[in-house]
Amino acid sequence: MSPKSPTTPTYILGIESSCDDTSVAVLRDGILLSNVTASQAVHEAYGGVVPELASRAHQQNIVPVVDAALKRAGIEREQLSAIAFTRGPGLLGSLLVGVSFAKGLAASLGIPMMDVNHLHGHVLAHFIKEEQGAGGKEQGAGSKEQGAGGKGQEDTSRPDNPSAPCPLPTAPQFPFLCLLVSGGNSQIILVKSYKEMEIIGQTIDDAAGEAIDKCSKVMGLGYPGGPIIDRLARQGNPDAFTFSKPNIHGYDYSFSGLKTSFLYNLRDWLKDDPDFIEHHKEDLAASLEKTIVDILMKKLRLAARDLKIRQVAVAGGVSANTGLRNAFHDYARRYGWQVFIPRFSYTTDNAAMIAIAGYFKYLDHDFCPMSAPAYSRVSVGV
Ligand code: KG4
């Protein structure tokens, strides 16, 4: 299967189904036309994602979500040029739904497919471009803050592919650092190009999001804990409590000690005051958030300083956190960083990021065979 003639618009369908969101996006020549996501409320009652329920919900959602994304983009499926899909990492049952659907649709339309590493998708979310309804103006996916000593906007971003779309001023330029923080990952990635990414630091145990979710769970708050902790933290004192911070070599992270420290402290405080959580939940949330943000930013700063990189991005579900976003702006001012923070809609799992990652592969004619299986585990370097 070969790509369509370069004179016709290129329409890419992106499919994301790695966890509990069924998401489908459509791009025209690299510009986002639609991004439709069906979330799965079924997991709330269990305090975490139940893999079997997730894959069943994907099966129910995939056809209507694809239809809705095509409709919103104003195109028929026969106009599609290629299909990008998340191949991994993630929950295997969930991935299988998206992978199988992508293969079936690509085969029936006789068009190529591009497999996307979900983690690459998060990093490349910074290159999503939207069609601006009213003014017809394109806009980048994120907000940007220029630090005091930050660089200007020269375009050095297409070293390996001259046919790649010219990124908008709000997209980072290569090489840049990306802090990828989600429920399953905490990594510092050196992004050298659209396809060359090197993990220079990562958690040796729990991910930041996982630690937040677990601490929220021991406080008896809802799932997922991240947004709840974020909301409570806004009303609390971040210096009210101190929790242990890890002492890990290099750019690696660790969050399991913090989680244990939070749990043991809470147990002691509850002995003296059974209503301790109710009385102090805002301060607990604010202090927990501050500790996690401090840990994340300290290593990121170390890496940026050592590598002499001032373009620093953040991605993944935890990048929605207000304290972390504020810390990025603060570091931009203090260290002259140029920071890239995704829109809220592109922090959590979404198909727009898969579609743009697939589009770069499409331009390189980097297609995936029908035999490519889904994979549950892989690092961002793959
Ligand atoms: O990238 P993501 O959507 O998915 C997976 O890792 O699968 O990240 C989900 C994580 C969860 O741990 C969630 O609690 C966290 O992102 N999260 C937040 C916020 N919103 C989502 N953490 C802190 N503050 C938030 N506002």
Side-chain angles (χ1 to χ4, degrees):
M1 291 162 217
S2 55
K4 290 183 177 169
S5 140
T7 50
T8 55
T10 299
Y11 288 105
I12 305 289
L13 186 82
I15 298 176
E16 156 61 31
S17 72
S18 65
C19 191
D20 59 341
D21 288 317
T22 318
S23 185
V24 178
V26 176
L27 302 184
R28 183 185 58 227
D29 292 332
I31 311 290
L32 186 67
L33 299 182
S34 66
N35 183 41
V36 179
T37 302
S39 300
Q40 303 177 0
V42 65
H43 308 287
E44 275 165 26
Y46 301 92
V49 177
V50 183
E52 181 56 31
L53 296 180
S55 49
R56 283 188 214 175
H58 281 302
Q59 277 183 312
Q60 287 178 341
N61 293 341
I62 188 86
V63 173
V65 175
V66 167
D67 284 346
L70 288 169
K71 193 169 172 203
R72 206 165 288 180
I75 64 159
E76 302 295 329
R77 66 184 62 178
E78 289 72 24
Q79 290 175 263
L80 289 172
S81 314
I83 300 176
F85 64 91
T86 305
R87 193 170 148 201
L91 300 173
L92 202 54
S94 293
L95 287 162
L96 279 173
V97 177
V99 172
S100 309
F101 187 91
K103 288 180 181 177
L105 187 58
S108 71
L109 295 171
I111 55 175
M113 300 181 298
M114 294 78 66
D115 60 322
V116 175
N117 177 329
H118 179 79
L119 305 176
H120 281 201
H122 272 301
V123 174
L124 296 176
H126 289 283
F127 294 88
I128 297 169
K129 293 191 267 178
E130 294 175 347
E131 195 169 53
Q132 194 78 319
K137 229 180 91 207
E138 292 169 13
Q139 207 175 12
S143 66
K144 173 185 70 77
E145 175 147 326
Q146 173 82 53
K151 257 177 66 184
Q153 300 294 338
E154 93 196 87
D155 181 5
T156 56
S157 56
R158 296 187 292 167
D160 60 343
N161 185 356
S163 60
C166 204
L168 294 152
T170 50
Q173 291 155 14
F174 303 114
F176 65 92
L177 283 180
C178 185
L179 175 70
L180 176 56
V181 266
S182 66
N185 296 280
S186 299
Q187 300 175 332
I188 300 177
I189 301 165
L190 174 60
V191 188
K192 299 173 187 170
S193 74
Y194 294 117
K195 49 189 176 187
E196 235 190 312
M197 302 188 195
E198 185 189 340
I199 300 170
I200 57 169
Q202 60 186 324
T203 182
I204 59 167
D205 41 54
D206 290 354
E210 193 179 351
I212 296 175
D213 290 343
K214 284 179 180 166
C215 291
S216 157
K217 196 168 179 177
V218 302
M219 284 171 71
L221 306 173
Y223 168 83
I228 302 166
I229 294 287
D230 191 344
R231 184 171 40 78
L232 290 171
R234 307 283 65 79
Q235 297 139 41
N237 173 8
D239 299 314
F241 304 105
T242 34
F243 302 109
S244 77
K245 285 185 183 167
N247 188 8
I248 306 288
H249 178 72
Y251 309 131
D252 283 342
Y253 291 117
S254 165
F255 291 100
S256 74
L258 164 65
K259 184 188 65 188
T260 311
S261 151
F262 188 87
L263 180 68
Y264 286 1
N265 275 308
L266 203 57
R267 206 177 49 184
D268 291 346
W269 293 325
L270 281 167
K271 275 187 206 149
D272 299 332
D273 174 7
D275 295 325
F276 187 86
I277 295 174
E278 193 45 42
H279 292 152
H280 298 279
K281 59 179 189 279
E282 292 85 2
D283 288 347
L284 284 166
S287 303
L288 174 68
E289 181 190 274
K290 180 176 187 255
T291 310
I292 289 179
V293 169
D294 283 352
I295 295 170
L296 289 171
M297 295 307 289
K298 198 175 158 201
K299 290 293 175 91
L300 189 60
R301 153 92 178 116
L302 201 63
R305 192 197 61 190
D306 292 352
L307 296 173
K308 298 186 175 45
I309 290 184
R310 283 188 173 176
Q311 299 231 353
V312 189
V314 62
V318 182
S319 67
N321 181 263
T322 311
L324 184 59
R325 294 166 91 92
N326 289 343
F328 261 72
H329 291 303
D330 180 39
Y331 274 55
R333 282 186 291 270
R334 277 159 62 185
Y335 302 114
W337 287 5
Q338 197 178 359
V339 297
F340 300 87
I341 301 172
R343 284 211 187 134
F344 285 110
S345 47
Y346 303 135
T347 57
T348 47
D349 294 346
N350 65 87
M353 67 185 195
I354 302 305
I356 193 72
Y359 180 59
F360 295 135
K361 283 192 153 192
Y362 180 87
L363 294 173
D364 277 348
H365 292 200
D366 183 0
F367 301 127
C368 153
M370 275 289 162
S371 56
Y375 49 74
S376 56
R377 283 178 182 275
V378 74
S379 82
V380 77
V382 171

